[in-house]
Amino acid sequence: MAQNDRAPKLAASPVIFIVGPTASGKSRLALALAQRFDGEIVNADSRQVYRLMDIGTAKPSPEEQAQAPHHLLDICDPGESFNLACFLSSATAAIDYIHGRGRLPIIAGGSGQYVWGLLEGWQVPVAAPQPQFRREMLEEAQRNGPMSVYQQLQLADPDRAAQLDPRNLRRVIRALEVHHFRQPSGSPPARERRPLDNTFIIGLTMPREELYKRIDQRVDRMLASGMLEEVQGLAAKGYRLGQGPLSSTGYREMGQHITGEINLEEAVQRTKFQTHRLARRQYTWFKPQDPRINWLDSSDPDVAIQAAALVTDFLASRSCYGKIDPHTPPETG
């Protein structure tokens, strides 16, 4: 594909990151910048990698995907495991591929572990499954409740505990397992390679109440677009509700409705509330005071122009040619 005439010829190999809480507009901005700067988008959302999970993950539509190349979407089935190690390997290969074609990689997503693991060159903790340990933790949860296991994680690794939903027992136990059995132990993970060089991070945020309102409106749109039917279809194909990727927000609550545990109205309200919680947890990964992140208010109608100006300055400082005019509106296709 021919390069955009307005894109600079780069002397290095830059990578743009777009981060922030769910529903803040990351995918929309990534698409605008990809069109503006001859870029390709690499997904950093831990659920959008799964096929058949489109509505509930707010995956870019086929029409949006046609407007710019996207990577790491629909690469595994809901019954398969996809973790940090898979992401680091796949994302690194995608970045190399995009650079090899002379284009700009734009990493977009709200999975903080994925983003910082890629940026900082994390080594995936080596911790083989420990069946006996898992059984003991499950027995502990049955005796004293899941919070007793979560409290162990808070004592052992408070940073990791802050990033997890205490009710997600499977992930809490795995985090404890990694803490106790990896070599070397401790948090955060050790680095096996240098951090990515030549990166620029844009963070999207907005006032909290406005973000919650946007989340609620998106959940309503998801339901109107067929989210319940999407979950019913996954169940009909044999995927177990409430397990693996179907334990994530929205899918879990719709699954509880399908099995008769709660009515639809309660499922929708729980989805909204849990998505609010997800957004708060994402801010533990992407802190407003982090000097590496260039924050923009995504409720500003000119946010795409502001982002383009930032990227323009970043690329111009690393390019063979002059600046792009940042006031040229991003293409919308």
Side-chain angles (χ1 to χ4, degrees):
M1 183 182 295
Q3 287 196 2
N4 189 317
D5 291 339
R6 290 176 295 173
K9 184 179 292 185
L10 301 174
S13 297
V15 182
I16 306 298
F17 284 77
I18 302 175
V19 303
T22 186
S24 59
K26 297 181 294 295
S27 296
R28 182 170 59 251
L29 180 60
L31 183 58
L33 294 181
Q35 295 176 314
R36 177 71 179 82
F37 295 101
D38 200 26
E40 302 190 13
I41 300 167
V42 179
N43 165 52
D45 182 291
S46 64
R47 291 300 181 250
Q48 290 185 359
V49 299
Y50 291 102
R51 303 181 188 97
L52 307 176
M53 296 176 61
D54 302 330
I55 299 171
T57 64
K59 190 178 296 177
S61 67
E63 293 75 19
E64 290 170 326
Q65 293 184 43
Q67 295 177 39
H70 286 68
H71 302 264
L72 274 61
L73 295 176
D74 298 325
I75 60 175
C76 56
D77 292 328
E80 297 175 323
S81 174
F82 189 91
N83 54 27
L84 176 61
C86 299
F87 172 77
L88 294 178
S89 174
S90 300
T92 300
I95 290 171
D96 290 344
Y97 173 75
I98 296 166
H99 279 152
R101 299 170 65 219
R103 295 167 70 87
L104 177 66
I106 300 174
I107 316 299
S111 296
Q113 188 182 48
Y114 285 10
V115 168
W116 293 120
L118 184 60
L119 268 163
E120 298 179 347
W122 288 4
Q123 177 182 356
V124 178
V126 177
Q130 304 291 325
Q132 179 61 32
F133 177 80
R134 293 181 182 184
R135 283 193 294 270
E136 291 172 359
M137 291 299 98
L138 286 171
E139 291 171 359
E140 167 72 17
Q142 290 171 353
R143 286 194 306 270
N144 302 311
M147 187 55 68
S148 65
V149 180
Y150 181 73
Q151 288 170 346
Q152 291 186 42
L153 181 62
Q154 286 181 309
L155 291 173
D157 191 344
D159 290 338
R160 185 70 180 118
Q163 296 151 7
L164 295 178
D165 185 338
R167 299 175 305 169
N168 193 330
L169 184 60
R170 180 182 62 84
R171 294 190 68 186
V172 170
I173 291 175
R174 176 56 182 165
L176 271 171
E177 185 178 60
V178 167
H179 177 83
H180 288 305
F181 295 101
R182 73 182 178 198
Q183 295 294 328
S185 62
S187 177
R191 292 174 179 171
E192 67 175 345
R193 61 184 186 279
R194 292 188 306 153
L196 282 180
D197 294 324
N198 205 12
T199 59
F200 188 78
I201 309 173
I202 293 174
L204 293 182
T205 189
M206 64 176 61
R208 192 65 58 92
E209 289 307 313
E210 188 168 349
L211 177 63
Y212 291 165
K213 181 179 179 180
R214 184 179 289 193
I215 287 170
D216 293 349
Q217 291 172 341
R218 189 170 75 171
V219 171
D220 289 337
R221 289 196 302 272
M222 286 176 173
L223 191 67
S225 299
M227 183 178 177
L228 178 59
E229 291 77 12
E230 179 174 85
V231 180
Q232 290 171 328
L234 288 162
K237 292 180 182 296
Y239 297 112
R240 300 185 66 180
L241 297 175
Q243 297 193 13
L246 296 188
S247 67
S248 55
T249 300
Y251 290 92
R252 177 180 58 244
E253 289 76 17
M254 291 300 122
Q256 290 172 331
H257 168 62
I258 290 170
T259 58
E261 297 178 48
I262 56 178
N263 62 37
L264 182 58
E265 181 180 1
E266 186 173 358
V268 172
Q269 290 305 314
R270 286 190 185 184
T271 297
K272 292 176 179 179
F273 178 74
Q274 291 304 323
T275 310
H276 297 175
R277 290 188 54 153
L278 171 63
R280 292 195 295 272
R281 290 199 304 274
Q282 287 172 316
Y283 275 118
T284 69
W285 284 104
F286 309 118
K287 295 180 171 60
Q289 65 270 27
D290 192 328
R292 297 170 295 181
I293 303 176
N294 299 274
W295 287 102
L296 294 174
D297 184 347
S298 58
S299 64
D300 190 319
D302 292 329
V303 65
I305 295 175
Q306 296 167 8
L310 291 174
V311 174
T312 292
D313 289 342
F314 169 72
L315 295 180
S317 70
R318 290 155 171 80
S319 72
C320 302
Y321 298 107
K323 295 183 179 180
I324 302 170
D325 179 6
H327 302 293
T328 303
E331 297 176 1
T332 61

